[in-house]
Amino acid sequence: MRIPGRKRFGGIFSGDTASFVFLFGFGFLFTAFFHVDGWRQAVYGSADVDFPAVLGLLTLCCAVGWRGLLRRGFAWVEPAELTWLDFAPADRGRVVTLRLLGAWTGVVAVTGYLTALMLAVGGAGLDQWRAGIAVVAASAVAAFASARRTALRFEAAVPLVLAGFGLVVAAFRLGPVTVQFAAAGVLVAALPLALGGEPVSRAGRSVLVAGWAGRVLRSVAVTFLDPMMLLPPSAPVGRFSLRRPTPLRLAVAGTLGRSRYAGAAVLVGVAVVVAHIALPTVPGAVLVGIGAYVALTPFGAGLGELWRNPGRRRWLGSANRELVLTHGLVLAAVGLLWAALLAVVTLAGGTSFGSGAWLAVPLSVLSILRTVTRTAVDYANPGFVDTPVGPMPANLTRQLFRGLDLQVVGMVVLSAAV
């Protein structure tokens, strides 16, 4: 049963803005297959295509999609809709299941598109196509089987195992036949994931309303161009005491409370190394810079929460410079651990990064500190300027990209210095 007035399929067939965005995006992505020669020169240059590394990178993409689906952002229902469903001949589980199918279809579409594009650009043969399709299909089945159940204790480690296999494929130059057998192993491993836990479609009202609140927060952050609202909150850290609150204790507690993102940071580190092997034309400083910024940003969210809440800063009674310094030291320690992990994975992959690439890690730490210490967005003076694509709010754009500007400029300088 459908809520009256609710558009089907996200409104992409309504002839409105959603239809225009869908058609424009589909056309833009599809035209890439008509320019494979230009993409091959841009991605691989004059070097021979390393198809084992490409298959390893595609395996990493599937692992990232699987990991994202395990967040179960689809498990939400509006409170009013929940009440309406209680008195209607419909099941709330069907609503959640349809959202799961929509999210899963999106993940499969993205990974399938990347697989088709990278193999077409590289001029892959029939065996490589079979291996790529097998990896996408096996990971899609395993992701759906695990995401449709409630969270298990160690389920987040399974995509890491798939990512590790992608690194092995790229490092040891495994053939497409071996990759196909490994894809069959992924299907076998999906059986215990499919049988454990309870169906997520049976989630209670509190879980569904909490998911809806998170979705509202994300939509508001996108609407008002304020990504700092998306910084992850801290979880309880057990017996860690803040009875005598100090900036250092608060920084350590905030980092430990976000340790659930450690697995994602490991996944990003493996992806950086495999991408460095598969894409020889992309500078190492760019790959490491992007990876470090993505992996370390959740651990800088503690300072971002303090910066958005002057009352907490007054309660703590410390100067702003002291807060930035202590949180920066803790974030630098996390960055050092991530760099050590990247070094180990780099050695395991049989490759290396230049000195400029390693400098991208402290650059990312500074950029994250600059990002999370931005002031609240000021909408009073957007500062519209004329551009070839239309008016652009320059002042809002400047506020939005604070921190990223330092990251981009730094990566360009480090790449040019090699």
Side-chain angles (χ1 to χ4, degrees):
M1 183 172 292
R2 186 173 62 93
I3 302 295
R6 183 71 55 82
K7 294 181 179 180
R8 296 181 184 272
F9 305 104
I12 61 174
F13 299 115
S14 63
D16 205 346
T17 304
S19 301
F20 170 76
V21 173
F22 174 76
L23 291 176
F24 178 80
F26 179 80
F28 177 78
L29 295 176
F30 188 73
T31 54
F33 291 95
F34 295 95
H35 303 86
V36 291
D37 293 334
W39 280 105
R40 184 182 296 115
Q41 182 64 29
V43 175
Y44 301 110
S46 58
D48 295 332
V49 180
D50 189 351
F51 282 109
V54 173
L55 291 176
L57 182 59
L58 295 177
T59 305
L60 259 297
C61 294
C62 294
V64 171
W66 188 355
R67 180 66 173 80
L69 202 60
L70 290 180
R71 295 179 62 234
R72 295 176 176 85
F74 53 84
W76 62 271
V77 181
E78 298 177 7
E81 186 177 350
L82 278 174
T83 303
W84 184 81
L85 290 173
D86 291 338
F87 299 94
D91 184 13
R92 66 176 64 171
R94 183 173 180 270
V95 177
V96 177
T97 302
L98 290 177
R99 290 204 175 99
L100 165 61
L101 289 174
W104 177 78
T105 303
V107 171
V108 175
V110 172
T111 54
Y113 174 81
L114 291 176
T115 300
L117 182 61
M118 293 191 67
L119 292 179
V121 169
L126 183 59
D127 291 338
Q128 284 81 17
W129 278 98
R130 288 174 177 172
I133 293 174
V135 170
V136 173
S139 61
V141 172
F144 182 82
S146 57
R148 65 179 293 270
R149 315 291 291 187
T150 55
L152 300 177
R153 186 171 184 180
F154 298 106
E155 68 175 10
V158 182
L160 289 178
V161 176
L162 183 61
F165 173 72
L167 176 63
V168 171
V169 172
F172 293 95
R173 306 295 191 270
L174 299 183
V177 177
T178 305
V179 175
Q180 295 179 49
F181 278 109
V186 172
L187 291 177
V188 175
L191 291 177
L193 296 176
L195 299 176
E198 296 291 333
V200 73
S201 58
R202 299 180 185 174
R205 185 182 183 91
S206 59
V207 176
L208 297 178
V209 173
W212 170 80
R215 181 180 181 275
V216 171
L217 180 63
R218 293 191 294 271
S219 62
V220 170
V222 173
T223 302
F224 289 94
L225 300 177
D226 191 2
M228 290 299 98
M229 297 176 64
L230 301 177
L231 291 175
S234 177
V237 290
R239 298 183 178 180
F240 195 91
S241 177
L242 282 174
R243 291 184 177 179
R244 290 193 304 169
T246 62
L248 183 59
R249 285 187 178 184
L250 196 61
V252 173
T255 301
L256 294 177
R258 295 169 176 85
S259 59
R260 62 187 183 276
Y261 291 94
V266 174
L267 190 61
V268 171
V270 178
V272 167
V273 175
V274 177
H276 183 58
I277 301 174
L279 308 175
T281 61
V282 181
V286 174
L287 293 174
V288 176
I290 295 176
Y293 190 88
V294 172
L296 301 179
T297 295
F299 300 99
L303 180 60
E305 288 187 352
L306 283 176
W307 218 258
R308 294 179 61 89
N309 196 325
R312 292 184 182 180
R313 298 207 301 270
R314 289 193 297 268
W315 163 77
L316 195 59
S318 301
N320 292 340
R321 182 176 299 178
E322 184 180 1
L323 291 175
V324 174
L325 180 60
T326 52
H327 282 79
L329 290 176
V330 175
L331 184 61
V334 178
L336 184 62
L337 292 176
W338 189 82
L341 167 70
L342 185 64
V344 173
V345 178
T346 302
L347 292 176
T351 184
S352 61
F353 288 101
S355 57
W358 296 106
L359 292 177
V361 177
L363 169 68
S364 301
V365 173
L366 295 176
S367 300
I368 292 171
L369 292 177
R370 177 174 168 81
T371 299
V372 298
T373 54
R374 66 177 63 172
T375 57
V377 179
D378 182 14
Y379 303 97
N381 182 21
F384 283 97
V385 295
D386 292 331
T387 64
V389 295
M392 183 184 69
N395 193 26
L396 290 180
T397 304
R398 177 188 60 81
Q399 299 176 73
L400 179 63
F401 290 99
R402 174 184 166 89
L404 286 175
D405 51 359
L406 176 61
Q407 183 75 11
V408 172
V409 172
M411 289 191 302
V412 171
V413 172
L414 291 177
S415 301
V418 176

